[in-house]
Amino acid sequence: MRAKRSLATYTASHFCVDFACFYLLFSWLSRGTPGQTAAVGFLLYNALAFGLQPIIGWACDRRPSVAVAPLGAVLILLALAVRGLPWIAIVAIALGNACFHVGGGIDSLNKADGKAARSGIFVSSGALGVSLGTLYGRAALATVWLPFGLIALSLVAMIAFCREEAGKPQPVQPFHFANPSRAFALVIGMMFVSIAIRSFAGSIVPIGWRTTAFLAVVPGLSACVGKASGGLLADRFGPRTVGVASLALSIPCLALAPQIPWICALGLVLFNMSMSITLCTIASELPGYAGLSFGLTTLALLVGNVPTFFLPKPTPLAAALAIAIASGVSCLFLFASVTNQTHSKGRVKHAPADARIARRLT
């Protein structure tokens, strides 16, 4: 019951956090900020919010008593309060975003019961928060009180429902992805590159059909559904089957028909299904380091996204080729790295976690 309650709290709070962050960013942009200045602001936000998570995650793994997610909410409230000082607000909201994601990510991995579903559900709500926060930030009548209230409620909920029991923490059940016979550094490296190239491919999908408020939300809703369902399906049918099949099927949708809304939306659902699979694969290779594992995936997202700030917008043909090649390479990496073990009720089919891996990081 406690695990379900904390998952509901962190998932709802994830929506609120990303809603508030993108409200602040786009309300700043809508005030007539020059394009080059805005690009620097968004790059700074991404660098801090995504790039710092491995460091924060590793620190939390070493000091698990730190309530890092509520700290993130406090920083976001501070950012919203000083929004008239945009650069200070961007730094504060990026730090708050990083802290919250690490705290929620640790909870999603440590209470996963060996399954991928929990991490997929936790991460999924952020995509919808980004879409709706962007719309709200651009709205002429938007006020700061809605995001401020949502973050305040999230803070209260996390304090009330997500406090750990006193005493010795319970052992974490290994993921059914775990297979210590593989070279863990190679697996982590391939998963990191796989996430990075998917991040790049997802950033260049030419979605020109977002011409109404509803259509503007469809990509975020598609990503939300894909991330939430990917973990559930991986636990049922095996991570390799779901990860490779979903990426392969997304290629024709995103590369060949991105201009057709319903086909592109289906492609985005399929494209995002492998998110929890790559996250849990890294976590299965680093037992006891949930924070670092989660942070490595966000760092990979940053590595894949940064080039889009500097490269010219690709032509439709170049974008189609890049999406197809990137998705194909990710398929190969997933097939080579991920086991196809499925979760069985009451026990997990896996080899025992190799304690030597954890000792290398201490």
Side-chain angles (χ1 to χ4, degrees), residues 16 77 133 141 143 257 261 266:
C16 297
L77 290 175
L141 299 178
T143 69
L266 174 61

PDB file of all heavy atoms in Angstrom, residues 16 77 133 141 143 257 261 266:
ATOM      1  N   CYS A  16       3.204  17.972 -12.100  1.00  0.00           N
ATOM      2  CA  CYS A  16       3.194  19.346 -11.582  1.00  0.00           C
ATOM      3  C   CYS A  16       4.550  20.022 -11.740  1.00  0.00           C
ATOM      4  O   CYS A  16       4.639  21.208 -12.098  1.00  0.00           O
ATOM      5  CB  CYS A  16       2.786  19.339 -10.110  1.00  0.00           C
ATOM      6  SG  CYS A  16       1.112  18.725  -9.796  1.00  0.00           S
ATOM      7  N   LEU A  77       9.444  26.372  -6.029  1.00  0.00           N
ATOM      8  CA  LEU A  77       8.640  27.447  -5.452  1.00  0.00           C
ATOM      9  C   LEU A  77       9.439  28.742  -5.388  1.00  0.00           C
ATOM     10  O   LEU A  77       8.917  29.831  -5.687  1.00  0.00           O
ATOM     11  CB  LEU A  77       8.163  27.053  -4.051  1.00  0.00           C
ATOM     12  CG  LEU A  77       7.105  25.954  -3.967  1.00  0.00           C
ATOM     13  CD1 LEU A  77       6.833  25.599  -2.510  1.00  0.00           C
ATOM     14  CD2 LEU A  77       5.809  26.396  -4.651  1.00  0.00           C
ATOM     15  N   GLY A 133       2.232  22.610 -19.676  1.00  0.00           N
ATOM     16  CA  GLY A 133       2.958  23.753 -19.134  1.00  0.00           C
ATOM     17  C   GLY A 133       3.390  24.721 -20.221  1.00  0.00           C
ATOM     18  O   GLY A 133       3.358  25.946 -20.030  1.00  0.00           O
ATOM     19  N   LEU A 141      -3.477  35.013 -20.511  1.00  0.00           N
ATOM     20  CA  LEU A 141      -4.079  35.223 -19.192  1.00  0.00           C
ATOM     21  C   LEU A 141      -3.471  34.326 -18.104  1.00  0.00           C
ATOM     22  O   LEU A 141      -3.987  34.284 -16.981  1.00  0.00           O
ATOM     23  CB  LEU A 141      -5.590  34.972 -19.268  1.00  0.00           C
ATOM     24  CG  LEU A 141      -6.367  35.885 -20.234  1.00  0.00           C
ATOM     25  CD1 LEU A 141      -7.844  35.504 -20.247  1.00  0.00           C
ATOM     26  CD2 LEU A 141      -6.196  37.345 -19.844  1.00  0.00           C
ATOM     27  N   THR A 143      -1.363  32.965 -15.075  1.00  0.00           N
ATOM     28  CA  THR A 143      -0.782  33.558 -13.873  1.00  0.00           C
ATOM     29  C   THR A 143       0.094  32.522 -13.178  1.00  0.00           C
ATOM     30  O   THR A 143      -0.022  31.314 -13.424  1.00  0.00           O
ATOM     31  CB  THR A 143      -1.859  34.029 -12.890  1.00  0.00           C
ATOM     32  OG1 THR A 143      -2.532  32.889 -12.327  1.00  0.00           O
ATOM     33  CG2 THR A 143      -2.879  34.925 -13.592  1.00  0.00           C
ATOM     34  N   ALA A 257       5.934   9.084 -42.257  1.00  0.00           N
ATOM     35  CA  ALA A 257       4.636   9.770 -42.224  1.00  0.00           C
ATOM     36  C   ALA A 257       4.500  10.702 -41.018  1.00  0.00           C
ATOM     37  O   ALA A 257       3.477  10.686 -40.340  1.00  0.00           O
ATOM     38  CB  ALA A 257       3.507   8.743 -42.230  1.00  0.00           C
ATOM     39  N   PRO A 261      -1.074  13.256 -38.437  1.00  0.00           N
ATOM     40  CA  PRO A 261      -1.112  13.285 -36.962  1.00  0.00           C
ATOM     41  C   PRO A 261      -1.297  11.926 -36.302  1.00  0.00           C
ATOM     42  O   PRO A 261      -0.544  11.578 -35.382  1.00  0.00           O
ATOM     43  CB  PRO A 261      -2.288  14.223 -36.675  1.00  0.00           C
ATOM     44  CG  PRO A 261      -2.353  15.117 -37.861  1.00  0.00           C
ATOM     45  CD  PRO A 261      -1.965  14.266 -39.028  1.00  0.00           C
ATOM     46  N   LEU A 266       0.985   7.532 -33.145  1.00  0.00           N
ATOM     47  CA  LEU A 266       1.239   6.108 -32.906  1.00  0.00           C
ATOM     48  C   LEU A 266       2.739   5.844 -32.864  1.00  0.00           C
ATOM     49  O   LEU A 266       3.231   5.086 -32.011  1.00  0.00           O
ATOM     50  CB  LEU A 266       0.583   5.273 -34.007  1.00  0.00           C
ATOM     51  CG  LEU A 266       0.873   3.769 -33.981  1.00  0.00           C
ATOM     52  CD1 LEU A 266       0.383   3.146 -32.675  1.00  0.00           C
ATOM     53  CD2 LEU A 266       0.236   3.078 -35.194  1.00  0.00           C
TER      54      LEU A 266
END
